[in-house]
Short mmCIF file of all heavy atoms in Angstrom, two decimals:
data_model
loop_
_atom_site.label_atom_id
_atom_site.label_comp_id
_atom_site.label_asym_id
_atom_site.label_seq_id
_atom_site.Cartn_x
_atom_site.Cartn_y
_atom_site.Cartn_z
N TYR A 1 0.85 -1.22 -0.02
CA TYR A 1 -0.03 0.02 0.00
C TYR A 1 0.85 1.25 0.02
O TYR A 1 0.54 2.25 -0.71
CB TYR A 1 -0.94 -0.02 1.20
CG TYR A 1 -2.06 -0.93 1.14
CD1 TYR A 1 -2.33 -1.89 2.12
CD2 TYR A 1 -2.94 -0.88 0.02
CE1 TYR A 1 -3.39 -2.74 1.98
CE2 TYR A 1 -4.06 -1.73 -0.07
CZ TYR A 1 -4.30 -2.69 0.94
OH TYR A 1 -5.29 -3.53 0.82
N THR A 2 1.89 1.32 0.81
CA THR A 2 2.62 2.54 0.98
C THR A 2 3.73 2.79 -0.08
O THR A 2 3.94 3.95 -0.43
CB THR A 2 3.31 2.60 2.36
OG1 THR A 2 4.20 1.48 2.53
CG2 THR A 2 2.28 2.60 3.47
N TYR A 3 4.40 1.76 -0.51
CA TYR A 3 5.53 1.93 -1.49
C TYR A 3 5.08 2.63 -2.77
O TYR A 3 5.72 3.60 -3.22
CB TYR A 3 6.16 0.58 -1.79
CG TYR A 3 7.26 0.67 -2.81
CD1 TYR A 3 8.43 1.33 -2.57
CD2 TYR A 3 7.12 -0.02 -4.04
CE1 TYR A 3 9.47 1.36 -3.49
CE2 TYR A 3 8.14 -0.06 -4.97
CZ TYR A 3 9.30 0.70 -4.76
OH TYR A 3 10.28 0.72 -5.64
N PRO A 4 3.99 2.25 -3.44
CA PRO A 4 3.58 2.99 -4.63
C PRO A 4 3.29 4.42 -4.36
O PRO A 4 3.58 5.33 -5.22
CB PRO A 4 2.37 2.24 -5.14
CG PRO A 4 2.50 0.86 -4.54
CD PRO A 4 3.11 1.06 -3.19
N LEU A 5 2.70 4.80 -3.20
CA LEU A 5 2.42 6.16 -2.86
C LEU A 5 3.69 7.00 -2.80
O LEU A 5 3.83 8.10 -3.35
CB LEU A 5 1.68 6.24 -1.53
CG LEU A 5 0.26 5.65 -1.51
CD1 LEU A 5 -0.22 5.55 -0.10
CD2 LEU A 5 -0.72 6.45 -2.34
N ILE A 6 4.69 6.40 -2.07
CA ILE A 6 5.98 7.05 -1.88
C ILE A 6 6.67 7.28 -3.26
O ILE A 6 7.19 8.34 -3.51
CB ILE A 6 6.85 6.25 -0.92
CG1 ILE A 6 6.28 6.24 0.46
CG2 ILE A 6 8.32 6.79 -0.94
CD1 ILE A 6 6.92 5.18 1.40
N MET A 7 6.68 6.25 -4.06
CA MET A 7 7.33 6.33 -5.35
C MET A 7 6.64 7.20 -6.41
O MET A 7 7.27 7.96 -7.18
CB MET A 7 7.54 4.89 -5.93
CG MET A 7 8.40 4.04 -5.11
SD MET A 7 10.14 4.68 -4.88
CE MET A 7 10.76 4.48 -6.56
N ALA A 8 5.32 7.21 -6.33
CA ALA A 8 4.61 8.16 -7.25
C ALA A 8 4.93 9.60 -6.94
O ALA A 8 5.09 10.42 -7.90
CB ALA A 8 3.06 7.89 -7.10
N LEU A 9 5.16 9.91 -5.72
CA LEU A 9 5.57 11.26 -5.36
C LEU A 9 6.93 11.53 -5.92
O LEU A 9 7.21 12.63 -6.46
CB LEU A 9 5.54 11.48 -3.82
CG LEU A 9 4.17 11.62 -3.18
CD1 LEU A 9 4.27 11.54 -1.69
CD2 LEU A 9 3.60 13.08 -3.59
N LYS A 10 7.86 10.57 -5.78
CA LYS A 10 9.24 10.77 -6.20
C LYS A 10 9.32 10.90 -7.76
O LYS A 10 10.15 11.65 -8.27
CB LYS A 10 10.12 9.60 -5.78
CG LYS A 10 10.39 9.54 -4.24
CD LYS A 10 11.35 8.40 -3.98
CE LYS A 10 11.59 8.36 -2.40
NZ LYS A 10 12.29 9.59 -1.95
N PHE A 11 8.43 10.30 -8.42
CA PHE A 11 8.48 10.42 -9.91
C PHE A 11 7.51 11.47 -10.41
O PHE A 11 7.30 11.55 -11.66
CB PHE A 11 8.07 9.06 -10.52
CG PHE A 11 9.20 8.07 -10.61
CD1 PHE A 11 9.70 7.41 -9.53
CD2 PHE A 11 9.90 7.92 -11.85
CE1 PHE A 11 10.80 6.52 -9.67
CE2 PHE A 11 10.99 7.07 -11.95
CZ PHE A 11 11.45 6.35 -10.87
N ASN A 12 6.91 12.26 -9.53
CA ASN A 12 5.95 13.25 -9.98
C ASN A 12 4.90 12.68 -10.84
O ASN A 12 4.60 13.19 -11.98
CB ASN A 12 6.70 14.43 -10.68
CG ASN A 12 5.72 15.61 -10.85
OD1 ASN A 12 4.81 15.86 -10.06
ND2 ASN A 12 5.92 16.39 -11.96
N ALA A 13 4.36 11.53 -10.47
CA ALA A 13 3.30 10.87 -11.18
C ALA A 13 2.03 10.71 -10.35
O ALA A 13 1.80 9.68 -9.77
CB ALA A 13 3.78 9.49 -11.71
N PRO A 14 1.33 11.80 -10.14
CA PRO A 14 0.22 11.82 -9.16
C PRO A 14 -0.90 10.84 -9.55
O PRO A 14 -1.62 10.39 -8.58
CB PRO A 14 -0.24 13.27 -9.25
CG PRO A 14 0.21 13.86 -10.50
CD PRO A 14 1.51 13.14 -10.77
N LEU A 15 -1.07 10.50 -10.81
CA LEU A 15 -2.19 9.56 -11.16
C LEU A 15 -1.67 8.14 -10.87
O LEU A 15 -0.89 7.56 -11.64
CB LEU A 15 -2.56 9.72 -12.62
CG LEU A 15 -3.66 8.79 -13.06
CD1 LEU A 15 -4.91 8.94 -12.27
CD2 LEU A 15 -3.94 8.98 -14.58
N LEU A 16 -2.04 7.59 -9.73
CA LEU A 16 -1.59 6.25 -9.27
C LEU A 16 -2.77 5.25 -9.40
O LEU A 16 -3.85 5.47 -8.84
CB LEU A 16 -1.09 6.33 -7.84
CG LEU A 16 -0.72 5.06 -7.16
CD1 LEU A 16 0.38 4.33 -7.90
CD2 LEU A 16 -0.24 5.33 -5.74
N VAL A 17 -2.53 4.20 -10.15
CA VAL A 17 -3.65 3.34 -10.57
C VAL A 17 -3.65 2.02 -9.81
O VAL A 17 -2.62 1.34 -9.71
CB VAL A 17 -3.57 3.12 -12.13
CG1 VAL A 17 -4.62 2.09 -12.51
CG2 VAL A 17 -3.61 4.36 -12.89
N TYR A 18 -4.79 1.70 -9.21
CA TYR A 18 -5.02 0.46 -8.51
C TYR A 18 -6.10 -0.31 -9.28
O TYR A 18 -6.88 0.25 -10.07
CB TYR A 18 -5.41 0.64 -7.06
CG TYR A 18 -4.32 1.21 -6.20
CD1 TYR A 18 -4.21 2.65 -6.01
CD2 TYR A 18 -3.33 0.41 -5.62
CE1 TYR A 18 -3.23 3.14 -5.24
CE2 TYR A 18 -2.37 0.95 -4.78
CZ TYR A 18 -2.30 2.34 -4.64
OH TYR A 18 -1.34 2.91 -3.87
N GLY A 19 -6.27 -1.58 -8.98
CA GLY A 19 -7.25 -2.40 -9.56
C GLY A 19 -8.67 -2.19 -9.00
O GLY A 19 -9.34 -1.20 -9.26
N GLU A 20 -9.13 -3.15 -8.12
CA GLU A 20 -10.46 -2.98 -7.58
C GLU A 20 -10.48 -2.42 -6.22
O GLU A 20 -9.45 -2.55 -5.46
CB GLU A 20 -11.18 -4.32 -7.60
CG GLU A 20 -10.75 -5.32 -6.52
CD GLU A 20 -9.67 -6.21 -6.98
OE1 GLU A 20 -8.61 -5.67 -7.44
OE2 GLU A 20 -9.78 -7.42 -6.82
N ASN A 21 -11.57 -1.78 -5.88
CA ASN A 21 -11.84 -1.34 -4.49
C ASN A 21 -12.36 -2.53 -3.75
O ASN A 21 -13.54 -2.94 -3.86
CB ASN A 21 -12.91 -0.23 -4.54
CG ASN A 21 -13.24 0.28 -3.16
OD1 ASN A 21 -12.97 -0.34 -2.13
ND2 ASN A 21 -13.92 1.44 -3.13
N ILE A 22 -11.49 -3.15 -2.97
CA ILE A 22 -11.71 -4.46 -2.34
C ILE A 22 -12.93 -4.38 -1.48
O ILE A 22 -13.86 -5.27 -1.51
CB ILE A 22 -10.52 -4.92 -1.55
CG1 ILE A 22 -9.33 -5.29 -2.53
CG2 ILE A 22 -10.90 -6.21 -0.74
CD1 ILE A 22 -8.04 -5.64 -1.83
N SER A 23 -13.04 -3.36 -0.63
CA SER A 23 -14.15 -3.24 0.28
C SER A 23 -15.52 -3.13 -0.39
O SER A 23 -16.50 -3.68 0.03
CB SER A 23 -13.93 -2.01 1.24
OG SER A 23 -12.83 -2.24 2.09
N TYR A 24 -15.52 -2.41 -1.52
CA TYR A 24 -16.83 -2.22 -2.25
C TYR A 24 -17.15 -3.46 -3.06
O TYR A 24 -18.29 -3.88 -3.13
CB TYR A 24 -16.75 -1.00 -3.09
CG TYR A 24 -18.12 -0.73 -3.79
CD1 TYR A 24 -19.14 -0.16 -3.04
CD2 TYR A 24 -18.32 -1.00 -5.14
CE1 TYR A 24 -20.42 0.07 -3.65
CE2 TYR A 24 -19.56 -0.78 -5.72
CZ TYR A 24 -20.62 -0.27 -4.98
OH TYR A 24 -21.80 -0.10 -5.56
N GLU A 25 -16.15 -3.98 -3.76
CA GLU A 25 -16.40 -5.13 -4.63
C GLU A 25 -16.75 -6.43 -3.90
O GLU A 25 -17.59 -7.21 -4.30
CB GLU A 25 -15.15 -5.41 -5.52
CG GLU A 25 -14.85 -4.33 -6.54
CD GLU A 25 -15.91 -4.23 -7.64
OE1 GLU A 25 -16.47 -5.30 -8.06
OE2 GLU A 25 -16.22 -3.08 -8.09
N TYR A 26 -16.08 -6.63 -2.77
CA TYR A 26 -16.21 -7.89 -2.04
C TYR A 26 -16.74 -7.80 -0.65
O TYR A 26 -16.94 -8.80 0.03
CB TYR A 26 -14.87 -8.70 -2.05
CG TYR A 26 -14.16 -8.71 -3.41
CD1 TYR A 26 -12.89 -8.24 -3.57
CD2 TYR A 26 -14.91 -9.07 -4.53
CE1 TYR A 26 -12.31 -8.22 -4.81
CE2 TYR A 26 -14.30 -9.03 -5.84
CZ TYR A 26 -12.97 -8.68 -5.95
OH TYR A 26 -12.31 -8.57 -7.13
N GLY A 27 -16.99 -6.60 -0.22
CA GLY A 27 -17.52 -6.37 1.18
C GLY A 27 -16.43 -6.09 2.12
O GLY A 27 -15.50 -6.92 2.25
N GLY A 28 -16.49 -5.01 2.85
CA GLY A 28 -15.45 -4.68 3.78
C GLY A 28 -15.78 -3.45 4.61
O GLY A 28 -16.81 -2.78 4.38
N SER A 29 -14.91 -3.12 5.57
CA SER A 29 -15.15 -2.00 6.46
C SER A 29 -15.16 -0.64 5.80
O SER A 29 -15.81 0.29 6.27
CB SER A 29 -14.15 -2.02 7.62
OG SER A 29 -12.82 -1.95 7.11
N ASP A 30 -14.42 -0.51 4.74
CA ASP A 30 -14.34 0.74 4.01
C ASP A 30 -15.24 0.69 2.80
O ASP A 30 -14.84 0.98 1.67
CB ASP A 30 -12.86 1.06 3.61
CG ASP A 30 -12.70 2.44 3.13
OD1 ASP A 30 -13.41 3.36 3.55
OD2 ASP A 30 -11.79 2.69 2.26
N TYR A 31 -16.54 0.37 3.01
CA TYR A 31 -17.46 0.16 1.90
C TYR A 31 -18.01 1.46 1.33
O TYR A 31 -18.85 2.10 1.96
CB TYR A 31 -18.63 -0.75 2.44
CG TYR A 31 -19.64 -1.19 1.36
CD1 TYR A 31 -19.41 -2.25 0.56
CD2 TYR A 31 -20.86 -0.45 1.19
CE1 TYR A 31 -20.28 -2.68 -0.37
CE2 TYR A 31 -21.75 -0.85 0.25
CZ TYR A 31 -21.44 -1.98 -0.57
OH TYR A 31 -22.36 -2.33 -1.53
#
């Protein structure tokens, strides 16, 4: 979770892409 955030800042690449929202797609606390 943290490494891509740190590196995106270093590369000045603010658009950071992830796959699915786990909590919403499969049920979770951050729904």
Side-chain angles (χ1 to χ4, degrees):
Y1 286 126
T2 58
Y3 176 66
L5 296 169
I6 293 168
M7 295 301 288
L9 283 168
K10 290 184 181 295
F11 275 79
N12 190 34
L15 182 58
L16 175 57
V17 177
Y18 294 94
E20 76 268 54
N21 180 344
I22 293 172
S23 292
Y24 185 76
E25 292 292 325
Y26 312 127
S29 56
D30 192 31
Y31 185 84

